Amino acid sequence: MNFSELKEKLADRTSRKLEAWFLYRNSDSDDVKKRAKRNVYIASGLGVLIAVAAGAVLFAMSCAFSDVTSVDGDDVVYVRIKPGMNSSQIGQLLEKQGVIDSQAKFWLAVKLNNADSRFQAGVFELQRNMKTGDALSVLINGRSVAVRVTVPEGLNVRQVAKLFAEQGLADEKEFLAEARHFAPYDYIKDVPEADYRIEGFLFPDTYDFANDATPRDIMQRMADEFDRRLTQDMRRQAEERQLSIYELVTLASLVEKEARYSEDRPVIAQVFFKRLAINMPLQTDTTLQYLREEVKEDLSIEDTKMESPYNTYLHYGLPPGPIASPGMASIEAVLKPSDTDYLYFVADRSGHNHYGYTYDEHLGLVEQVR
C-alpha cells in the first residue's frame, strides 16, 4: 500500500468514526441517539470555548507591551499627554485622534500591564491605527519629541490656535485666552476693538517647538521671529510712508488675504494706498470674512452692512488691527507698492486679479470674471 492509499484509508476510517460519534439512524436505540446528541452539544461547547480562548489570546497579545519605543512613516499623529492625565483620559484622546480603535481596550491594557503610574508628560509621536500595546509602549518607554509645525501665511489667531491644537502642542482655548492680551513688543497696540492683541504678529514660518512649550512660549517665539525679520531698513521705509509698524502689519494683512499670486501683491497695496489718499473706503471683503466663523464664497450686499469697526465698507481708513499674519512678501509689497493708478480690482475664480480705473470699468470686470 502506497502513501496515497494509506492516507485515503485513514481519512475514510476517521470519517466513519465521526459519523458514529455524531450521527444516528432512526432505527438506533434511544441510548445511541442520546449519546450522539450529547456529543454534538459537547463539540459545540468546546468550539465556543476554543473561539473565546483564541479571542482572549489575540486580545492579550494586542494589549501586551512590545519593544516599540518610536514610530516610522508618514501617517504621524502628535499626542500631548498633560501631567495628571489618567488612563481613561489618555485612551479617549488616543481614540479621538485615530491612534487606537478603543479607549476601553487601552484602559484594560494599562491595568493588565500595571502601567497607571508610568505615564510621562510631553508630546509623543504616534501613528494612526496602532496596536494598543504598541501605543502604550511608546507612551511608557518612548521619549517625548520636539514638534515641527509649519504655519502658513494668512492665518488668523483662531486658525493658528486650532493648528497647534491639532499638532498636540497647545490647548485651543488656552492659546486664545493667552492671545487676547499678549503683546511682547511696544509697537503692538492695545486696541479695544481687537479680540486678540497679538493678531498679525505671529510670523508664519516652520518652527521646532519643545514638547513642553506653553501657548505663551509659542507666541513669544513667533513674535520674536517677526521682530527679527523686520529689518531696520524696512522700519525706515515704513516711517517714510508715515506708517507705524502696527499700521504696516494691518495693511499687509489685507494684502495677504486679497492676493493669491505674488504679482498681485504690490498692485493691490497701491490700490489701498490710493483709496486711503482720496478718503475712499477700502471696501475689502477680507475684513468682513474676518468677522465670520467660516469663509463665505460670495458675500452679499446685506453682508456689507454688518455693523463692526472691521467693516471697511461702512468705515473709512484701516480696520482696528491686522486680520491675519502676513508673510514677508505682503509686508514688502506695502513698503514697495506698484506705480499704478488703479482704484478697483476683482479676483476671478482662479484667484487672479483684474484691475480697473473707474467704477463702471470695475462693474464690467465683475460681470466678466464672475
Side-chain angles (χ1 to χ4, degrees):
M1 182 182 296
N2 58 35
F3 177 75
S4 179
E5 291 173 336
L6 178 62
K7 184 171 68 173
E8 289 180 5
K9 186 174 182 179
L10 289 173
D12 181 64
R13 183 180 299 175
T14 302
S15 177
R16 281 188 276 110
K17 284 186 176 181
L18 286 174
E19 287 180 0
W21 185 264
F22 293 115
L23 302 179
Y24 60 85
R25 294 182 296 273
N26 288 331
S27 59
D28 289 337
S29 66
D30 289 341
D31 288 341
V32 172
K33 293 178 180 179
K34 288 180 181 179
R35 185 176 63 249
K37 290 179 180 180
R38 185 185 65 234
N39 291 341
V40 169
Y41 294 145
I42 292 172
S44 299
L46 286 173
V48 171
L49 288 175
I50 291 170
V52 170
V57 170
L58 290 174
F59 178 81
M61 290 174 62
S62 71
C63 292
F65 263 140
S66 67
D67 57 358
V68 175
T69 58
S70 62
V71 297
D72 296 315
D74 298 326
D75 200 15
V76 170
V77 178
Y78 290 105
V79 176
R80 185 181 186 89
I81 306 301
K82 297 180 181 180
M85 289 183 75
N86 59 40
S87 57
S88 295
Q89 293 170 321
I90 295 172
Q92 184 177 16
L93 178 62
L94 295 179
E95 182 179 342
K96 181 180 179 181
Q97 296 191 223
V99 176
I100 60 173
D101 61 358
S102 169
Q103 66 182 59
K105 186 189 294 185
F106 181 82
W107 178 87
L108 186 57
V110 172
K111 301 304 177 184
L112 290 174
N113 290 285
N114 195 27
D116 278 290
S117 61
R118 299 172 61 187
F119 288 108
Q120 308 174 65
V123 176
F124 293 85
E125 191 177 61
L126 299 168
Q127 285 180 318
R128 299 192 191 282
N129 303 314
M130 292 183 72
K131 292 180 179 178
T132 304
D134 288 347
L136 179 60
S137 180
V138 172
L139 295 180
I140 299 301
N141 299 319
R143 293 184 177 182
S144 56
V145 298
V147 182
R148 174 161 292 185
V149 182
T150 297
V151 182
E153 292 88 350
L155 296 190
N156 60 41
V157 165
R158 298 188 300 271
Q159 294 167 324
V160 172
K162 185 176 181 179
L163 174 64
F164 279 100
E166 290 172 345
Q167 295 295 323
L169 264 174
D171 179 86
E172 188 172 350
K173 291 182 179 179
E174 291 176 6
F175 191 100
L176 292 176
E178 186 69 42
R180 288 195 180 279
H181 307 290
F182 186 67
Y185 292 96
D186 292 340
Y187 50 72
I188 303 177
K189 292 184 178 181
D190 186 6
V191 180
E193 296 87 353
D195 286 336
Y196 305 103
R197 192 170 176 187
I198 196 63
E199 185 75 87
F201 296 91
L202 301 177
F203 191 77
D205 203 353
T206 296
Y207 299 90
D208 288 321
F209 289 102
N211 67 78
D212 59 350
T214 65
R216 177 178 282 263
D217 294 335
I218 293 170
M219 286 185 275
Q220 183 69 60
R221 172 88 177 276
M222 297 177 75
D224 288 346
E225 186 64 17
F226 168 81
D227 192 70
R228 186 184 72 81
R229 295 288 193 97
L230 195 69
T231 64
Q232 290 302 316
D233 185 55
M234 297 171 75
R235 298 173 197 234
R236 178 186 55 77
Q237 292 177 56
E239 288 181 7
E240 290 174 354
R241 291 194 168 274
Q242 298 183 332
L243 292 173
S244 68
I245 295 177
Y246 195 80
E247 292 169 332
L248 168 64
V249 174
T250 299
L251 193 50
S253 73
L254 304 184
V255 173
E256 184 67 57
K257 298 301 289 184
E258 286 283 10
R260 183 181 299 181
Y261 299 99
S262 57
E263 63 268 18
D264 286 320
R265 299 180 196 279
V267 185
I268 291 174
Q270 179 58 32
V271 170
F272 286 146
F273 276 121
K274 179 104 174 155
R275 290 182 180 182
L276 291 170
I278 65 174
N279 200 31
M280 173 183 173
L282 292 180
Q283 296 181 330
T284 168
D285 291 355
T286 59
T287 56
L288 299 179
Q289 298 283 15
Y290 180 67
L291 300 172
R292 300 178 56 85
E293 289 294 327
E294 296 181 2
V295 173
K296 185 178 181 180
E297 186 172 1
D298 290 314
L299 294 171
S300 64
I301 296 297
E302 193 63 30
D303 290 324
T304 65
K305 299 176 182 178
M306 190 185 311
E307 185 49 56
S308 168
Y310 281 89
N311 186 342
T312 52
Y313 283 85
L314 295 180
H315 300 280
Y316 291 81
L318 293 173
I323 61 171
S325 293
M328 195 52 62
S330 292
I331 294 173
E332 290 175 345
V334 173
L335 296 175
K336 297 178 182 178
S338 296
D339 184 14
T340 68
D341 289 322
Y342 293 124
L343 200 55
Y344 298 93
F345 63 92
V346 60
D348 59 29
R349 293 302 183 187
S350 64
H352 291 282
N353 277 281
H354 303 262
Y355 303 92
Y357 297 98
T358 67
Y359 186 61
D360 287 341
E361 187 177 359
H362 173 66
L363 291 178
L365 288 170
V366 171
E367 185 69 24
Q368 177 183 330
V369 304
R370 296 284 177 88

